[in-house]
Amino acid sequence: MVGFALLIVASTVAYVVLRPSPGDQPQLTLGGAQAADDTALGASGYTYQRSTSPDRTEIIDSTGEPVAIMTDGARTVQMYGPSRTFEEPQNTASKVESKYWVRLAPRPYHAGAEKEEWFTDWLSAARHDRSPDVLAIAMEYIEGAPVKKDNQGQQYSGDASFGPLDPLDPDGRAEKSDFYDYLGLTWTFLDGKAVVPEPDRLLALDCSGYLRMVYGHRLDFPLLGTNTPGEGLPRRAYAMAEFGPGVQLMPNSGHRARGLDRLLPGDLLFFNAGPVVDGHIEHSGIYLGIDDSGHHRFISSRAVADGPTMGDTGGESILDGAGYWAERWRTARRI
């Protein structure tokens, strides 16, 4: 049973976490969660509602409360849980209050998977999981975020730069900083590509490197070292948008995307940010949800802000209205 509500404030991020009593604490592993025998809930009493655009299933419990949303072809699951508030007051007055906890199921969902053991086992554990999810992890790299290290002293989160200064770049900072650059670790990817970090990119994440840090390194979504189709997340934003894993939520017509109502927190967003206004993708981010002013807000790593931000440095971080990023938004993908 739930013991008490604890408010955690880490840097500028505030969110509420419900801690189970010690005797009821489930044993959890992100991505392939397994529940202890005495905490398994099973799927009895649930109602499953199918919807389209995109094809998905919503789980409703026996009291009529929503439990989760699963999208066909995607591992991302939007769980309903205690409300949290995400904010970055040094860069925006806007806040996002969210009841969604964005998790990764161990495999892509398909219609009817809610009847299969792999999914029911995962769901029963995920409902109790209050460890950092996609949204909380995304906030661990904003300006002023505290440093976190593992037991070996390796820093894995904390305030990230976009990249080293570059007088030749129009925005003043160089791209091509991936998660392994932030970590300062050599890496070999599933597709066999081996990479070595560049010292001047330590603690830096460009826009797609940031997505790969959150979903890949932190939550174990497979990553590719190249920009080719495959089961993992490619290196660059254009490749993620064009043939990345999961489900494309709307076509890239070369013009401003339509379909805000299709978005859910945790979706990947893709933008045209080059000198030519067309369908080419040069920027990516993560959808956070609707802020306290009613705007659709996202977070991304950008050069002008020198790192990840949900703020308005280098353009308002919203998809509606007539701002730079709203006009340059082209498509979205749920992985």
Side-chain angles (χ1 to χ4, degrees):
M1 66 180 178
V2 175
F4 56 89
L6 175 66
L7 179 65
I8 297 177
V9 179
S11 181
T12 55
V13 184
Y15 50 93
V16 175
V17 179
L18 296 184
R19 298 290 190 191
S21 299
D24 295 330
Q25 181 70 47
Q27 303 300 312
L28 298 170
T29 302
L30 283 176
Q34 296 293 324
D37 290 342
D38 61 345
T39 64
L41 299 177
S44 60
Y46 291 155
T47 299
Y48 306 94
Q49 297 181 353
R50 290 288 290 172
S51 300
T52 59
S53 298
D55 293 339
R56 63 195 186 278
T57 298
E58 184 168 3
I59 300 180
I60 310 296
D61 70 15
S62 58
T63 68
E65 292 296 317
V67 174
I69 300 171
M70 300 86 64
T71 302
D72 294 9
R75 286 180 57 189
T76 304
V77 177
Q78 283 76 20
M79 309 286 297
Y80 290 82
S83 181
R84 301 172 292 172
T85 298
F86 299 101
E87 57 185 320
E88 189 184 347
Q90 62 270 45
N91 290 309
T92 180
S94 298
K95 303 177 182 180
V96 175
E97 184 175 351
S98 180
K99 59 187 175 182
Y100 292 105
W101 292 65
V102 184
R103 300 291 182 194
L104 288 180
R107 64 183 76 167
Y109 178 81
H110 62 85
E114 67 275 3
K115 302 174 184 177
E116 299 172 7
E117 185 176 5
W118 72 267
F119 185 82
T120 57
D121 286 351
W122 175 82
L123 179 66
S124 65
R127 287 201 69 184
H128 295 278
D129 190 352
R130 294 296 176 259
S131 62
D133 69 328
V134 168
L135 305 184
I137 292 172
M139 298 297 290
E140 291 186 12
Y141 299 90
I142 64 172
E143 180 183 350
V147 170
K148 293 183 180 180
K149 298 182 179 181
D150 62 21
N151 293 335
Q152 287 72 47
Q154 170 68 52
Q155 180 174 339
Y156 62 87
S157 79
D159 188 339
S161 171
F162 179 85
L165 291 170
D166 182 358
L168 300 180
D169 190 282
D171 294 320
R173 290 188 178 273
E175 298 180 344
K176 301 183 179 180
S177 294
D178 204 355
F179 74 94
Y180 61 85
D181 291 302
Y182 179 97
L183 299 169
L185 297 176
T186 57
W187 207 268
T188 301
F189 292 97
L190 294 176
D191 53 10
K193 183 174 181 179
V195 291
V196 177
E198 298 182 25
D200 61 347
R201 298 180 185 277
L202 185 68
L203 302 182
L205 295 167
D206 67 14
C207 65
S208 51
Y210 173 55
L211 270 55
R212 285 158 62 87
M213 171 64 87
V214 173
Y215 268 100
H217 182 67
R218 295 293 302 277
L219 293 174
D220 292 330
F221 196 94
L223 297 174
L224 302 177
T226 58
N227 294 303
T228 55
E231 294 184 1
L233 203 59
R235 171 63 185 96
R236 301 295 298 275
Y238 79 87
M240 294 180 187
E242 183 177 350
F243 44 73
V247 181
Q248 188 178 45
L249 300 177
M250 67 282 295
N252 179 358
S253 66
H255 303 285
R256 181 174 180 169
R258 296 291 184 265
L260 283 168
D261 58 335
R262 299 182 183 184
L263 296 176
L264 288 173
D267 289 343
L268 305 189
L269 305 172
F270 301 98
F271 304 83
N272 165 246
V276 178
V277 181
D278 58 14
H280 192 263
I281 300 299
E282 292 100 355
H283 190 68
S284 57
I286 299 173
Y287 182 62
L288 292 177
I290 299 176
D291 66 22
D292 54 357
S293 296
H295 296 297
H296 293 263
R297 189 162 290 273
F298 68 93
I299 185 169
S300 69
S301 183
R302 55 193 88 150
V304 176
D306 190 23
T309 183
M310 62 176 282
D312 302 319
T313 303
E316 289 183 295
S317 297
I318 59 175
L319 300 176
D320 53 299
Y324 178 83
W325 294 112
E327 294 290 345
R328 294 296 189 106
W329 176 42
R330 293 294 180 263
T331 188
R333 184 172 289 275
R334 188 169 301 155
I335 63 172

